Amino acid sequence: LARAERDAERPSRILIVDDHEDNIEVLRARLQALGYETASARDGHEAIAAVQQHPPDLILLDVMMPGLDGNEVARRIKADPELRRIPIIMQTALESVESKVAGLDAGADDFVTKPINFTELTARVKAMLRLGSMQRELTRANADLAKLNAELEKANADLAQANAELNRVAVTDGLTGLYNRRHIEDRLQEMFEHSRRLHEPLACVMFDLDQFKSVNDTYGHQVGDKVLREFADVIRGVAREVDRIGRFGGEEFLVLLPGTVLDAAVTFAERARQQVEAIEFEHEGGTLRRTLSAGVAAWPHPRIKDRSQLVKAADDALYAAKALGRNRVVRFDSREFNEYVGEGDEQLANSNSGGIRPGA
Ligand code: GH3
Ligand code: MG
Ligand code: MG
């Protein structure tokens, strides 16, 4: 027996549709001799039922049949997405262009003319079966490709998520969840350039907890960590969404307030100071209280030329706040600041209202 299909283990199944039993028998004998499996149908309706019930690999379809003719059968099969890939060889009675055009229109893939030349039929059957198996392979490959694409998309999404997480970790202080020092310095550079370009003010507040070392010494490091976290929450709560908060040192925090003038920044720092003063930090043995000192500076200012001078100004003001007794907010270049640093520039001293002292 000839090998019916090179890449298929089972022999190919061919459905022979013809209204003449004799024609069916001749074709069946020939095709079986070539190693194919055959099935048959005597009219259009029977053909469609047979195709739906057990889809063949190829249909040899007679055009001229009473009732449902071959063209209509082809049309219905090609309209069904499940069946449209089954190749159809149409058997036309005569070599007529019109009937071939009608067959092509209906969806025929190839033609043989009656009376049938079996050498030609064999060649066309083989060619159509190969086409059908290639179509099936293509469908399978497309499905595999779609699956691979979906997997690739998922891998890409996972990668993006991992990168985002990596990025978050790289900019975050592990204890407080605030920005780490490197990142807040990057933000400072960005905000300072932005302020310069747009001629918008930029304020900078440096916070430092008072007598924090004694929290560790008295209650232990873990309690100290907890106080730091709660303190970070206080600043987060007072800050606006556009403000950026970074842990600058151990218990020292830098806040950048874009579009903010000195007075407004002092108000912000003062609010944070008051909230911290009111908090009872809880620990296993009871509660403890701590206060907060802050130094505030803002750009533009005649004595601040660049971003590092802005941070230094806030830091100097913080230093003054500590020296002046802690639990207070000192603004850079205020009278008390200048008196403290001993640079009493009369003009500057008169033009500033002075630092805010803790309420009673
Ligand atoms: P001052 O009022 O002058 O600021 O006094 P202070 O005790 O707060 O300042 P000092 O700089 O002497 O001490 C800071 C302390 O902060 C010392 C260090 O042990 C503590 N510290 C720094 N980082 C951490 C941390 O991550 N966790 C804890 N628990 N303590 C920290
Ligand atoms: Mg401190
Ligand atoms: Mg400190």
Side-chain angles (χ1 to χ4, degrees):
L1 291 187
R3 209 158 40 163
E5 203 178 336
R6 197 147 51 93
D7 56 352
E9 281 177 26
R10 59 171 182 85
S12 296
R13 260 173 51 84
I14 300 173
L15 176 66
I16 305 160
V17 185
D18 203 304
D19 56 328
H20 290 285
E21 187 65 40
D22 293 351
N23 292 346
I24 291 178
E25 280 314 316
V26 173
L27 285 169
R28 193 203 304 280
R30 289 281 181 158
L31 292 171
Q32 283 183 352
L34 291 168
Y36 298 116
E37 240 176 49
T38 60
S40 61
R42 302 279 305 270
D43 62 47
H45 290 290
E46 210 180 293
I48 286 172
V51 170
Q52 284 170 341
Q53 203 173 41
H54 192 168
D57 300 306
L58 173 68
I59 304 168
L60 262 179
L61 183 59
D62 188 22
V63 176
M64 308 264 254
M65 293 185 295
L68 219 54
D69 74 2
N71 286 334
E72 186 53 30
V73 171
R75 220 183 320 277
R76 292 192 190 182
I77 288 171
K78 294 297 179 180
D80 184 334
E82 297 286 316
L83 306 174
R84 61 158 42 115
R85 288 202 178 75
I86 302 170
I88 296 176
I89 298 177
M90 208 78 108
Q91 311 174 52
T92 51
L94 43 132
E95 189 76 54
S96 121
V97 172
E98 287 79 20
S99 73
K100 280 192 177 172
V101 167
L104 281 171
D105 240 18
D109 298 284
D110 200 4
F111 298 90
V112 286
T113 317
K114 286 181 172 180
I116 285 169
N117 173 316
F118 287 100
T119 308
E120 183 193 348
L121 177 70
T122 305
R124 291 193 185 280
V125 163
K126 275 185 183 166
M128 280 299 114
L129 284 172
R130 205 172 328 120
L131 191 73
S133 96
M134 276 158 65
Q135 290 265 26
R136 278 192 299 279
E137 268 177 47
L138 197 64
T139 305
R140 250 196 317 271
N142 269 330
D144 288 351
L145 197 63
K147 215 173 86 185
L148 277 176
N149 260 327
E151 280 170 23
L152 193 65
E153 251 166 53
K154 185 170 181 321
N156 266 328
D158 289 350
L159 191 66
Q161 202 188 339
N163 275 332
E165 177 59 14
L166 201 65
N167 200 41
R168 193 190 65 75
V169 168
V171 303
T172 304
D173 168 55
L175 180 69
T176 59
L178 298 175
Y179 287 136
N180 59 27
R181 177 162 183 166
R182 204 187 57 220
H183 189 70
I184 197 70
E185 283 180 337
D186 287 350
R187 296 280 71 74
L188 170 65
Q189 176 174 9
E190 205 175 87
M191 281 185 179
F192 198 86
E193 291 312 315
H194 184 85
S195 287
R196 221 207 277 274
R197 260 200 319 277
L198 301 183
H199 305 287
E200 277 181 3
L202 172 65
C204 173
V205 178
M206 192 73 86
F207 288 114
D208 189 292
L209 284 163
D210 299 327
Q211 319 290 6
F212 184 69
K213 191 172 175 302
S214 67
V215 175
N216 285 331
D217 293 348
T218 312
Y219 306 98
H221 208 262
Q222 282 196 335
V223 173
D225 282 357
K226 186 166 177 285
V227 170
L228 282 177
R229 276 196 294 266
E230 289 180 30
F231 168 71
D233 289 341
V234 170
I235 307 189
R236 255 195 288 259
V238 178
R240 302 165 305 171
E241 208 160 315
V242 292
D243 300 332
R244 292 292 171 265
I245 315 165
R247 187 171 178 204
F248 208 67
E251 26 76 89
E252 209 174 297
F253 298 81
L254 179 67
V255 185
L256 304 171
L257 304 105
T260 305
V261 296
L262 195 55
D263 281 341
V266 168
T267 303
F268 157 78
E270 178 59 17
R271 196 174 301 143
R273 187 199 64 75
Q274 284 173 8
Q275 284 196 17
V276 169
E277 187 180 43
I279 289 181
E280 292 191 18
F281 293 103
E282 286 176 17
H283 59 93
E284 269 176 31
T287 61
L288 67 93
R289 285 170 176 278
R290 274 302 174 276
T291 54
L292 181 65
S293 293
V296 185
W299 187 88
H301 183 282
R303 286 166 62 187
I304 296 172
K305 297 280 179 279
D306 57 29
R307 65 176 193 277
S308 60
Q309 286 183 357
L310 177 63
V311 174
K312 169 116 184 2
D315 206 40
D316 290 348
L318 170 63
Y319 204 81
K322 293 283 184 185
L324 291 167
R326 296 181 171 79
N327 192 22
R328 71 186 59 209
V329 175
V330 169
R331 53 198 285 170
F332 172 71
D333 220 10
S334 62
R335 185 188 301 126
E336 65 176 344
F337 175 85
N338 288 325
E339 278 168 13
Y340 165 71
V341 294
E343 295 175 0
D345 179 330
E346 277 305 310
Q347 205 195 335
L348 281 170
N350 291 336
S351 69
N352 281 281
S353 56
I356 290 182
R357 304 195 140 257

